Amino acid sequence: MRVKELYLKYKKLKENAGTHSPSISTLISSIPEIEIDIDACFLSNPYATKLFFEYFKKDLVVTEKIYSTLEYYPSQNSVIAEDISRTIGIDSKQIFVCNGAIEGIQAVLHNVINGKLSIPIPTFSSYYEFCKSNLTPYYYQTSKEEDYCLNLRSYQKFIDENEINNVLIINPSNPVGSYLSLNEIGNFIEFNKSLDSIIIDESFIHFSYESKNLDMCSVHNLINKYDNLVIVKSMSKDFGIAGLRAGYVLMNRKRVASLLEHGYLWNVSGLTEYFFKLLQNVDFRNEYEDVRKEYLLDSFDYIEALNKIKKIKIINTKANFVLIEILNGKDSEEVTLDLLFRYGVYVRSCSDKIGLTGQYIRVAARSKEENLKIVSAFKEYFQ
Amino acid sequence: MRVKELYLKYKKLKENAGTHSPSISTLISSIPEIEIDIDACFLSNPYATKLFFEYFKKDLVVTEKIYSTLEYYPSQNSVIAEDISRTIGIDSKQIFVCNGAIEGIQAVLHNVINGKLSIPIPTFSSYYEFCKSNLTPYYYQTSKEEDYCLNLRSYQKFIDENEINNVLIINPSNPVGSYLSLNEIGNFIEFNKSLDSIIIDESFIHFSYESKNLDMCSVHNLINKYDNLVIVKSMSKDFGIAGLRAGYVLMNRKRVASLLEHGYLWNVSGLTEYFFKLLQNVDFRNEYEDVRKEYLLDSFDYIEALNKIKKIKIINTKANFVLIEILNGKDSEEVTLDLLFRYGVYVRSCSDKIGLTGQYIRVAARSKEENLKIVSAFKEYFQ
């Protein structure tokens, strides 16, 4: 009875939240009866949050520099781009600083590209929701038989047949987590170098790897070779700082200059500017690399444990989450609410994701301790 | 000799900073020899910063809630609009939450209005810099003889003659500080109710007053009466929190919905969301009202003292700054650098402001103590 009431309250909330899950703070403030123990919707490395917070405390709170950080205007976009440039070694004039990657996606879709945009589905919905009259989304359906992994040969055919001028690849993809190697992506970019734009969204790339020592992968280094390349990078997931709003887009100088000519003057906060300065700190970067690998190793154990649970199918992933097909006959919304109300585990129902056939939820990798709790809840629930 | 070197360094920096003054942090990090004692470019109430910081410390730092504020995604635009709605009593569907008023200005100029935009000059330069091909700025020159105060009768003639469909009034104006009464503005809006848009930028309105007890003024309450009204509101100046990035735009429901349909999903940080929640706190609002009035009273003394200094002319103001005409024969850039290098007082040269005839600087009202130092520097320098 009580669960049913909660269910109705949640449903109403979700209707009002629009196209994305209601945030945890909205959820808690709207339905105080809910006890969320673990937010497994939230795709971030909690060890990195902890690391960032240590520096933040030491650098800004203890020194009270936080005062001036909140009081004064941050630097302008082009100045913060220089901070990022010093970290990633790419010319600052090719860096568009964003208030979260989502601002970069919006800026590119509204101002940089025109015509057609091919979007492999399922996908991060903003890529089609943000399309205005200047841009028509062309949905490329990945195949359930191939676990929704993007088949580049078939995607190429789709691009050619539909005379697409702008293409999107999220690598690793969201909500699937499937990964294309740098080699595959590199060949794809080379083949399509005459298109207007190739958008590679690497928001989750810090969780992907090709070598045994789990080194980071990226197509960052191709930005100077291909004028049509647009690389989107979020900081929210890998650094666990979504509340800060930080991201960037790499693209050719003309495109960056054109965006800055008519806007985006002071578009990130003083704290985000602090973060991009912190990224230049070698100690921080080394410690980050440690917690990145620690998180990955914990995720491997987690996914292995999830893989053993019956009545669910784990889709192969190189991101910090897994897409799970539910095979116990229940629908994904019901499973989501059951897990929330019975175990305090908040997972992402994928019922609103276009391009998925079947019942799916997306579950984040969290800390080792939380992962164990999620696995234990799943075991009990699905047995 | 040393001053000359600093002068050259500053000049180079300003060239790179684009159209706005280099921020104080850029300035300090680029020219460490400069000792800025007082940033009189920065148009904010320092007492309000202090007040905000007390709450911030108590609510977020001591409790360590700052951790989750930085870690988790903030709520979506429409949810934060509800927080603001509860404070200002306007329907949340008429509130577009912005990452600083400047984001709102950009959103309106790029997406909401089209055709012609009349802009009284001198003005805040983003209003014409952000105009893209969809919008042509029409500059209305205010008169030096009238101290650049906007003459509404003459402005109306300009609007009619040029068949303007969108008009802008910044009230009080920037960089002049001249104020039009609610009555005058109200009549102007009523007369122009058939235009496509009337933008009233009230970013500095908390420093204006009509009654002896210095109560706040605003045209907020007209938003339900006029469908074409667009009210821009910054939080950076009155609350002294520019580093946070917070603002909003009030406009009709259709316009807000159209902006949110294709973007602006998570466009403010967790800290900005905290600020808008704090605004609902009656204690905070009452204390804010006290420091707002305290700041105003201090400003009156300050302006009175500045008025007594020879070789400068103080333009009448109802904002938290004064536009000052320099009458000692020097140009405004030179005066700015002299004040910076000799007294550590950083003022805003207005040499780049279109529409001003003569040499002008803009000087902010700061704390009582800082105001005294500014006055003392001015006295010594201009005598």
Side-chain angles (χ1 to χ4, degrees), chain B residues 267-282:
Chain B
N267 65 327
V268 299
S269 71
L271 277 183
T272 299
E273 181 170 13
Y274 160 74
F275 170 77
F276 283 125
K277 283 201 190 303
L278 178 62
L279 261 190
Q280 294 174 57
N281 180 326
V282 177

Side-chain angles (χ1 to χ4, degrees), chain A residues 105 117-128 142 148-150 152 155 167-181 185 188 198-205 208 219 230 232-234 237 318-319 321 353:
Chain A
I105 295 169
L117 173 65
S118 63
I119 303 176
I121 54 171
T123 190
F124 178 57
S125 63
S126 295
Y127 274 108
Y128 55 86
T142 57
Y148 307 103
C149 183
L150 182 58
L152 283 180
Y155 191 37
V167 302
L168 166 69
I169 293 179
I170 306 181
N171 195 40
S173 74
N174 176 9
V176 180
S178 69
Y179 176 76
L180 298 169
S181 72
I185 296 264
F188 177 84
I198 303 172
I199 304 174
I200 309 288
D201 184 330
E202 294 198 329
S203 289
F204 293 93
I205 200 83
S208 304
V219 293
V230 175
V232 175
K233 185 75 194 78
S234 161
K237 291 85 181 172
K318 271 193 178 175
F321 53 82
K353 288 276 175 193

Side-chain angles (χ1 to χ4, degrees), chain A residues 20-215:
Chain A
H20 297 257
S21 321
S23 78
I24 195 160
S25 68
T26 307
L27 201 62
I28 291 169
S29 67
S30 310
I31 317 182
E33 303 95 312
I34 289 184
E35 280 171 30
I36 298 181
D37 190 24
I38 296 165
D39 182 4
C41 282
F42 183 39
L43 309 175
S44 82
N45 176 354
Y47 306 148
T49 309
K50 208 174 151 219
L51 175 68
F52 169 76
F53 195 68
E54 281 164 20
Y55 275 85
F56 165 78
K57 236 169 137 173
K58 193 173 63 180
D59 292 345
L60 296 189
V61 179
V62 175
T63 60
E64 289 227 342
K65 277 189 191 162
I66 182 76
Y67 194 98
S68 56
T69 308
L70 300 178
E71 180 176 24
Y72 287 112
Y73 275 86
S75 299
Q76 293 182 25
N77 201 302
S78 57
V79 175
I80 298 173
E82 288 170 24
D83 286 330
I84 300 174
S85 170
R86 280 186 281 271
T87 306
I88 65 174
I90 286 162
D91 181 5
S92 68
K93 295 200 163 31
Q94 290 165 285
I95 303 172
F96 174 64
V97 185
C98 319
N99 197 45
I102 192 107
E103 184 183 45
I105 295 169
Q106 181 178 333
V108 168
L109 266 49
H110 289 190
N111 304 293
V112 175
I113 67 175
N114 279 292
K116 300 173 179 178
L117 173 65
S118 63
I119 303 176
I121 54 171
T123 190
F124 178 57
S125 63
S126 295
Y127 274 108
Y128 55 86
E129 286 162 3
F130 285 11
C131 286
K132 296 208 297 186
S133 55
N134 62 310
L135 194 65
T136 308
Y138 276 67
Y139 299 106
Y140 168 78
Q141 177 66 58
T142 57
S143 138
K144 183 179 166 92
E145 287 66 43
E146 292 176 318
D147 282 347
Y148 307 103
C149 183
L150 182 58
N151 179 323
L152 283 180
R153 215 176 321 168
S154 158
Y155 191 37
Q156 188 68 54
K157 210 176 144 206
F158 178 85
I159 292 161
D160 296 342
E161 280 175 2
N162 291 287
E163 296 179 333
I164 301 291
N165 59 330
N166 305 289
V167 302
L168 166 69
I169 293 179
I170 306 181
N171 195 40
S173 74
N174 176 9
V176 180
S178 69
Y179 176 76
L180 298 169
S181 72
L182 297 184
N183 195 29
E184 289 170 290
I185 296 264
N187 289 337
F188 177 84
I189 294 171
E190 170 64 26
F191 191 83
N192 290 292
K193 64 184 172 188
S194 63
L195 293 186
D196 289 343
S197 300
I198 303 172
I199 304 174
I200 309 288
D201 184 330
E202 294 198 329
S203 289
F204 293 93
I205 200 83
H206 282 206
F207 310 116
S208 304
Y209 50 89
E210 299 198 355
S211 66
K212 271 190 179 164
N213 58 5
L214 308 177
D215 284 344

Side-chain angles (χ1 to χ4, degrees), chain A residues 16-26 29 39 42-47 49-53 56-57 61 64 66-76 78-79 82 99 102-103 106 110-111 124 126 128-133 234 236-237 240-245 259-271 273 277 366 370, chain B residues 16-26 29 39 42-47 49-53 56-57 61 64 66-76 78-79 82 99 102-103 106 110-111 124 126 128-133 234 236-237 240-245 259-271 273 277 366 370:
Chain A
N16 295 332
T19 50
H20 297 257
S21 321
S23 78
I24 195 160
S25 68
T26 307
S29 67
D39 182 4
F42 183 39
L43 309 175
S44 82
N45 176 354
Y47 306 148
T49 309
K50 208 174 151 219
L51 175 68
F52 169 76
F53 195 68
F56 165 78
K57 236 169 137 173
V61 179
E64 289 227 342
I66 182 76
Y67 194 98
S68 56
T69 308
L70 300 178
E71 180 176 24
Y72 287 112
Y73 275 86
S75 299
Q76 293 182 25
S78 57
V79 175
E82 288 170 24
N99 197 45
I102 192 107
E103 184 183 45
Q106 181 178 333
H110 289 190
N111 304 293
F124 178 57
S126 295
Y128 55 86
E129 286 162 3
F130 285 11
C131 286
K132 296 208 297 186
S133 55
S234 161
S236 299
K237 291 85 181 172
I241 48 160
L244 219 62
R245 314 309 299 126
L259 285 174
L260 297 185
E261 196 184 344
H262 301 295
Y264 304 102
L265 197 56
W266 298 290
N267 65 326
V268 299
S269 72
L271 277 184
E273 181 171 13
K277 283 201 190 303
R366 302 296 306 158
E370 287 183 313
Chain B
N16 295 331
T19 50
H20 296 258
S21 321
S23 78
I24 195 161
S25 67
T26 308
S29 67
D39 183 3
F42 183 40
L43 310 175
S44 82
N45 177 352
Y47 307 147
T49 309
K50 209 175 150 218
L51 175 68
F52 169 76
F53 195 69
F56 165 77
K57 237 169 135 171
V61 179
E64 289 228 340
I66 180 77
Y67 194 99
S68 57
T69 308
L70 300 179
E71 180 175 24
Y72 287 111
Y73 275 86
S75 299
Q76 293 182 26
S78 57
V79 175
E82 288 169 24
N99 196 44
I102 191 108
E103 184 183 45
Q106 181 178 334
H110 289 190
N111 304 292
F124 177 57
S126 294
Y128 54 86
E129 287 162 2
F130 285 11
C131 286
K132 296 207 297 185
S133 55
S234 162
S236 300
K237 290 85 180 170
I241 49 161
L244 219 61
R245 316 308 299 124
L259 285 175
L260 297 185
E261 195 184 346
H262 300 296
Y264 304 101
L265 197 57
W266 298 291
N267 65 327
V268 299
S269 71
L271 277 183
E273 181 170 13
K277 283 201 190 303
R366 303 296 306 159
E370 289 183 312

Side-chain angles (χ1 to χ4, degrees), chain B residues 329-358:
Chain B
K330 290 196 174 188
D331 77 22
S332 67
E333 286 281 327
E334 199 182 344
V335 168
T336 298
L337 293 176
D338 283 349
L339 288 168
L340 179 59
F341 298 148
R342 292 192 206 168
Y343 304 96
V345 174
Y346 188 38
V347 305
R348 173 71 158 84
S349 159
C350 291
S351 58
D352 59 343
K353 288 276 175 194
I354 57 170
L356 283 173
T357 310

